[in-house]
């Protein structure tokens, strides 16, 4: 199979950046302008993603693999929780606070992996968590539109997201599947689970419910567009990680910092979110911590690969000498 051209890779990276920014701003627009119910929107996203994956399967983009539904339940439950609570955070916080709070996922994952999975991290990596945590606190606490319920949703969202990300890696290794094969089961199962949750927390029929005559054509189009964009985000991530080199994946991680900055800027420009100087300091502090974390992790990955490459070269030389 021929490797993809650099132009096509760049196009996919650009698509992922645009979709990742648009989905946040579009979801916020739907919440603010149309007051669309949150969990219902998440369920619709899962359904659109499920339909999109069926289409991808028909085009031969991946081959589904039979997975045990019972073992998929915990992962699907955390998937529901992570998307629902991050969307609730977006609904109840400013875009800036929502985006900054997501950065706490990195410290939370490190804590989970250290205390529950006995994984070790270097001192340099651990120290980067200090500016990230302080920056998140400064931005959130001094936000003029500070919302206690919003911060609560953000905190729960970070914990569940961290747990989900740890479990995804484990399940992929356990089942020997890629992210799209896993999502093929995960998305419809998660949508099915949310169908039982929605009636308890959101109206279904009448004012504010999904079965209502009050939704305008613009609202319906905006909601459907969020579903399509959400699927495009998942698809582009899968393609980049599954079909490119580790160097391109590194570029993808670095592009994530651009998405972070552009989403913040979009929130301030579109929704007129006010910002104080101390919040700006918190943002730069968080961004500095995230950049340092990425730099140290990349540096450690290179250090691990270099000795392996050298050992392989030495072994090959030894074989040639014997021959």
């Amino acid at each position: 199979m021929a490797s993809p051209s650099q132009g096509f890779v760049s196009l996919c990276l650009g698509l992922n950046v645009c979709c990742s920014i648009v989905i946040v701003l579009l979801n916020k627009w739907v919440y603010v302008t149309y007051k669309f119910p949150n969990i219902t929107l998440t369920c619709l996203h899962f359904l659109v993603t499920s339909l999109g994956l069926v289409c991808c399967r028909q085009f031969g983009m991946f081959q589904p693999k039979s997975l045990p539904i019972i073992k998929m339940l915990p992962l699907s439950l955390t998937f529901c929780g992570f998307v629902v609570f991050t969307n609730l955070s977006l609904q109840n916080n400013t875009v800036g606070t929502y985006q900054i709070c997501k950065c706490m996922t990195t410290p939370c994952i490190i804590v989970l992996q250290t205390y529950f999975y006995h994984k070790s991290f270097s001192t340099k990596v651990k120290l980067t968590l200090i500016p990230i945590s302080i920056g998140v606190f400064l931005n959130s606490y001094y936000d003029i539109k500070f919302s206690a319920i919003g911060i609560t949703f953000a905190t729960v969202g970070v914990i569940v997201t961290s747990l989900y990300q740890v479990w995804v890696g484990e399940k992929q290794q356990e089942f020997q599947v890629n992210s799209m094969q896993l999502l093929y089961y995960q998305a419809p199962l998660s949508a099915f689970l949310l169908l039982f949750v929605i009636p308890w927390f959101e109206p279904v029929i009448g004012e504010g419910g999904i079965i209502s005559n009050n939704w305008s054509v613009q609202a319906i189009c905006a909601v459907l567009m969020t579903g399509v964009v959400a699927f495009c985000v998942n698809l582009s991530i899968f393609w980049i990680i599954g079909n490119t080199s580790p160097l391109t994946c590194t570029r993808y991680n670095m592009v994530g910092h651009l998405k972070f900055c552009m989403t913040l800027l979009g929130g301030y420009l579109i929704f007129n979110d006010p910002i104080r100087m101390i919040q700006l300091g918190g943002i730069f502090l968080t961004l500095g911590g995230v950049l340092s974390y990425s730099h140290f992790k990349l540096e450690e990955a290179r250090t691990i690969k270099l000795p392996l490459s050298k050992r392989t070269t030495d072994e090959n030389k030894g074989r040639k000498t014997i021959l």
Side-chain angles (χ1 to χ4, degrees):
M1 183 178 176
S3 59
S5 66
Q6 285 299 311
F8 188 69
V9 170
S10 298
L11 179 66
C12 288
L13 284 169
L15 175 67
N16 179 261
V17 170
C18 292
C19 289
S20 299
I21 296 169
V22 168
I23 189 62
V24 173
L25 301 178
L26 194 55
N27 278 353
K28 184 69 174 179
W29 181 267
V30 167
Y31 294 142
V32 171
T33 307
Y34 303 114
K35 312 296 182 186
F36 199 84
N38 187 293
I39 304 175
T40 303
L41 183 66
T42 303
C43 186
L44 289 173
H45 285 181
F46 290 163
L47 289 172
V48 172
T49 297
S50 301
L51 291 172
L53 288 169
V54 170
C55 293
C56 289
R57 176 189 177 183
Q58 294 300 315
F59 282 105
M61 293 183 68
F62 73 100
Q63 290 297 321
K65 188 174 180 179
S66 180
L67 300 176
I69 300 297
I70 297 298
K71 288 189 176 182
M72 285 294 296
L73 271 174
L75 188 65
S76 295
L77 284 169
T78 54
F79 186 51
C80 290
F82 121 66
V83 179
V84 167
F85 281 109
T86 50
N87 280 344
L88 283 168
S89 171
L90 178 61
Q91 185 177 16
N92 291 275
N93 291 312
T94 61
V95 173
T97 296
Y98 156 82
Q99 192 71 11
I100 287 288
C101 285
K102 282 173 63 178
C103 292
M104 286 302 295
T105 303
T106 298
C108 195
I109 287 175
I110 289 177
V111 170
L112 283 174
Q113 290 187 326
T114 300
Y115 289 99
F116 295 98
Y117 295 91
H118 308 294
K119 187 175 179 181
S120 59
F121 295 88
S122 67
T123 304
K124 289 188 296 185
V125 168
K126 290 178 182 177
L127 287 174
T128 62
L129 307 186
I130 297 173
I132 293 175
S133 303
I134 294 174
V136 170
F137 171 78
L138 289 175
N139 180 81
S140 306
Y141 185 77
Y142 290 99
D143 191 340
I144 293 175
K145 295 182 179 180
F146 175 83
S147 165
I149 188 69
I151 295 299
T152 302
F153 285 139
T155 303
V156 176
V158 164
I159 295 169
V160 180
T161 301
S162 304
L163 187 60
Y164 170 76
Q165 290 190 14
V166 171
W167 279 2
V168 160
E170 287 199 338
K171 291 299 180 184
Q172 281 187 257
Q173 289 183 354
E174 180 184 343
F175 300 138
Q176 292 298 297
V177 293
N178 60 39
S179 57
M180 191 167 273
Q181 289 172 321
L182 199 62
L183 194 60
Y184 184 72
Y185 278 84
Q186 188 180 297
L189 183 57
S190 298
F192 178 74
L193 292 171
L194 286 182
L195 289 176
F196 295 95
V197 176
I198 290 170
W200 293 92
F201 295 96
E202 295 176 351
V204 178
I205 302 173
E207 185 68 29
I210 189 171
I211 304 174
S212 170
N213 297 324
N214 297 329
W215 302 115
S216 63
V217 175
Q218 292 91 337
I220 294 170
C221 289
V223 167
L224 291 176
M225 195 179 299
T226 62
V228 173
V229 175
F231 170 68
C232 288
V233 172
N234 289 323
L235 183 63
S236 58
I237 289 173
F238 161 78
W239 191 90
I240 290 165
I241 294 174
N243 295 274
T244 58
S245 66
L247 180 61
T248 304
C249 290
T250 301
R251 283 170 56 195
Y252 168 72
N253 290 329
M254 296 308 292
V255 164
H257 305 317
L258 173 64
K259 291 189 288 188
F260 174 84
C261 297
M262 294 301 292
T263 305
L264 285 176
L265 182 62
Y268 296 131
L269 293 178
I270 296 173
F271 301 103
N272 297 316
D273 293 338
I275 184 169
R276 298 174 176 177
M277 286 303 296
I278 194 166
Q279 282 181 270
L280 200 58
I283 290 170
F284 281 117
L285 199 58
T286 302
L287 185 58
V290 170
L291 285 168
S292 300
Y293 173 84
S294 300
H295 170 73
F296 292 139
K297 290 295 286 183
L298 182 59
E299 192 179 65
E300 289 175 2
R302 284 173 177 167
T303 305
I304 292 169
K305 286 178 183 177
L306 282 173
L308 289 174
S309 302
K310 188 177 184 301
R311 187 173 66 187
T312 305
T313 305
D314 291 342
E315 285 174 357
N316 291 336
K317 284 180 180 178
R319 289 194 191 101
K320 287 178 182 178
T321 303
I322 293 169
L323 292 171

